[in-house]
Amino acid sequence: MLDAVVVGAGPNGLTAAVELARRGFSVAVFEARDTVGGGARTEELTLPGFRHDPCSAAHPLGINSPAFRALPLERYGLEWLQPELPMAHPFTDGTAAVLSRSVAETAASFGARDAGAYRRLVEPFLPKWDSLARDFMSLPLTALPRDPVTLARFGLVGLPPSTWLMRRFRDERAKALFSGLVAHVMAPLSGFATGAIGLVFALAAHARGWPVARGGSQSISDALAAYLKDLGGTVHTDYEVKRLDDLPPARAYVFDTSPTALARIAGLGRYYDGYRYGPGVFKVDYALDGPVPWTAPEARVAGTVQIGASSAEIGTALRAASREGRAPDKPFMITVQPGVVDPDRAPEGKQVFWAYGHVPSGWDGDLTDALERQLERFAPGFRDRVLARATAGPPELAARNPNYVGGDIGSGAVTGLQILLRPKLSLSPYGTPHPAVFICSSATPPGPGVHGMSGHNAAKAVWRRLRQQQA
Ligand SMILES: Cc1cc2nc3c(=O)[nH]c(=O)nc-3n(C[C@H](O)[C@H](O)[C@H](O)COP(=O)(O)OP(=O)(O)OC[C@H]3O[C@@H](n4cnc5c(N)ncnc54)[C@H](O)[C@@H]3O)c2cc1C
């Protein structure tokens, strides 16, 4: 009998498997797709030689993850590449606010009236970032914080809605950039704890940057899988699990799936019925004939570029997708241009370009034209550079990966209490009513992103249970 079986080889499933194997437990992973990776993968989606990241591309949470930092992933081929600027937020007048590694450069890009307010916002947390990141990304209810004072101060600033936090800023440059940071998890700007989301992304940039992985996000997953195999674990691909009986006997079953799928597979009835999914995204991967012709020079050297002319425009786009059930006319966009630092993603002189905007859950329209109209406002001539595009709306995203219910790439709405307490209000979010069944996907704390912390935290719950059984 195996000690643990993990269902799903996304970053959380692989991290959970590695954490268990490192502690001497026998582990096997079963993955529905023909390759490992889940939301951290790389594929030639458009033309030969163009290596696209269909899901995650920028990794502020990956490089700052306490779980990943404790694993020897560099030895297994993972290399973080740092663009000259982590992120730029261009405006229609041809200027840009930036999120730089340097607090001073970032503050200066907001203009004289907001520079001081920004420094006062982030500087107190930066020296404590490592303990704050660990505390923030660990179990919300049961972990003993390493630095309770800093965590409490962070809570005071971050738990109110981001719209409150942004009252510190007087001008649009800081407000628009910060609104965009919050929108990375598709939360409405006025939601509970949304200030914390924006702040985490900003602090992550100052602490360790927003890198891309050399060769594509697949290299994160491949490094985890290779390390797992070295530790004696096994990975079985092309193996979709439909019932617990499909799996070999094990002392623990750990699911890197949505709560809904887990309830169906493990016969948990209505246990997760209260779990809510959020809006979807419409993703486009471009093969370009050269770099994006951004008007703002800062955008040409940034790994990530946020597109939203003002905080009001961003708020309107988020409300349309999350509350009004319609696609936004001027979508807020997150774009990534890995080629600024990883030229081998495309043939010489060419580029891959990654972009998405938010749409309602399950929306089956085509957002390509709206996205490209937005891009043309900040990069006139963009369309002329397009050699090929691969699009995926909510139905395609959900078909490729059932964790993205209705195209929700966060595997669950990041709103209300579910922002912190997911998938249920529970002291043990990784456990289920079945004593041998656990959940480790991004439907559990700390939520979406390629950081492996949900897998890490769930593995801790599993190994405690296994050791209790041994004792
Ligand atoms: C378009 C897009 C853009 C994103 N951008 C970023 C970004 O830039 N940075 C970032 O940090 N994050 C980003 N994310 C989010 C990130 O990819 C996810 O939060 C992360 O991958 C979640 O990891 P996970 O292990 O919980 O689940 P997943 O990565 O979704 O992996 C789950 C795995 O389980 C498998 N599986 C599911 N059900 C079964 C079953 N029944 N049997 C067997 N296998 C099963 C799936 O095939 C999949 O491989 C993005 C996601 C998408 C889709």
Side-chain angles (χ1 to χ4, degrees):
M1 183 186 280
L2 286 159
D3 290 317
V5 159
V6 176
V7 176
N12 283 315
L14 289 170
T15 304
V18 160
E19 297 285 14
L20 290 165
R22 284 173 96 198
R23 285 162 182 86
F25 296 106
S26 55
V27 187
V29 179
F30 292 85
E31 163 58 45
R33 295 280 301 267
D34 58 356
T35 53
V36 299
R41 57 198 315 114
T42 304
E43 291 164 5
E44 275 190 358
L45 287 172
T46 53
L47 301 171
F50 287 82
R51 310 266 310 142
H52 301 276
D53 289 336
C55 304
S56 64
H59 294 288
L61 303 176
I63 194 169
N64 280 286
S65 158
F68 285 178
R69 279 165 32 78
L71 302 177
L73 300 180
E74 282 77 11
R75 225 190 292 151
Y76 293 88
L78 173 61
E79 189 185 344
W80 297 122
L81 299 176
Q82 299 280 4
E84 193 178 318
L85 279 173
M87 193 266 278
H89 191 116
F91 298 101
T92 46
D93 65 358
T95 66
V98 302
L99 186 57
S100 154
R101 296 291 297 275
S102 143
V103 175
E105 191 184 354
T106 306
S109 82
F110 295 156
R113 298 205 315 164
D114 285 333
Y118 183 74
R119 277 202 306 272
R120 284 191 295 279
L121 174 65
V122 295
E123 274 172 351
F125 295 114
L126 271 176
K128 320 263 176 133
W129 167 246
D130 279 340
S131 57
L132 179 61
R134 181 171 282 280
D135 287 342
F136 187 74
M137 294 174 105
S138 297
L139 301 173
L141 293 175
T142 51
L144 281 179
R146 296 184 167 206
D147 183 348
V149 176
T150 304
L151 190 62
R153 282 181 68 188
F154 183 75
L156 280 177
V157 181
L159 286 181
S162 65
T163 39
W164 290 24
L165 185 150
M166 283 188 275
R167 286 187 198 149
R168 295 162 186 249
F169 303 130
R170 295 164 73 186
D171 293 330
E172 242 336 286
R173 304 172 72 79
K175 285 185 190 171
L177 180 138
F178 203 86
S179 304
L181 292 178
V182 176
H184 279 247
V185 295
M186 300 197 278
L189 301 178
S190 55
F192 164 70
T194 46
I197 293 169
L199 205 42
V200 163
F201 281 114
L203 292 168
H206 299 312
R208 293 199 179 80
W210 286 24
V212 298
R214 184 187 289 281
S217 299
Q218 185 74 45
S219 68
I220 304 169
S221 310
D222 288 349
L224 283 164
Y227 181 39
L228 175 65
K229 286 178 192 162
D230 263 8
L231 292 167
T234 54
V235 179
H236 308 266
T237 49
D238 273 321
Y239 197 111
E240 185 187 351
V241 178
K242 294 190 173 135
R243 302 178 327 145
L244 269 191
D245 293 351
D246 294 340
L247 295 166
R251 294 165 63 210
Y253 298 91
V254 190
F255 281 80
D256 186 13
T257 66
S258 73
T260 313
L262 166 58
R264 194 177 55 242
I265 295 167
L268 302 179
R270 306 176 62 95
Y271 186 66
Y272 292 118
D273 273 8
Y275 192 67
R276 288 170 294 108
Y277 295 92
V281 307
F282 191 94
K283 172 82 195 305
V284 189
D285 286 289
Y286 290 98
L288 298 183
D289 197 16
V292 179
W294 302 110
T295 310
E298 295 87 344
R300 295 187 207 138
V301 295
T304 300
V305 181
Q306 293 183 169
I307 304 290
S310 64
S311 56
E313 184 179 299
I314 296 169
T316 304
L318 291 180
R319 268 196 310 281
S322 61
R323 299 218 175 117
E324 294 161 12
R326 61 179 180 86
D329 304 325
K330 291 182 176 161
F332 167 68
M333 296 176 66
I334 301 173
T335 72
V336 179
Q337 37 189 14
V340 295
V341 71
D342 193 6
D344 296 343
R345 299 276 189 104
E348 209 181 329
K350 317 282 184 221
Q351 296 271 330
V352 292
F353 183 59
W354 178 109
Y356 74 73
H358 303 103
V359 291
S361 172
W363 189 76
D364 63 359
D366 186 349
L367 200 69
T368 313
D369 186 52
L371 293 174
E372 292 181 5
R373 271 188 279 118
Q374 272 290 65
L375 283 166
E376 287 282 343
R377 292 169 74 196
F378 304 90
F382 171 81
R383 277 193 167 120
D384 301 335
R385 301 252 162 118
V386 177
L387 298 172
R389 46 174 87 69
T391 61
E396 292 79 23
L397 291 169
R400 282 185 206 157
N401 183 341
N403 286 28
Y404 304 143
V405 176
D408 172 5
I409 66 174
S411 294
V414 188
T415 49
L417 282 181
Q418 201 173 282
I419 223 171
L420 296 174
L421 305 172
R422 49 201 285 140
K424 267 186 97 78
L425 270 179
S426 160
L427 281 170
S428 52
Y430 309 97
T432 73
H434 188 312
V437 172
F438 297 82
I439 179 166
C440 73
S441 70
S442 59
T444 63
V450 174
H451 45 64
M453 282 303 288
S454 302
H456 169 91
N457 294 339
K460 209 183 267 182
V462 175
W463 80 64
R464 284 187 184 146
R465 180 81 54 88
L466 292 177
R467 284 187 182 144
Q468 273 166 8
Q469 288 172 355
Q470 278 165 350

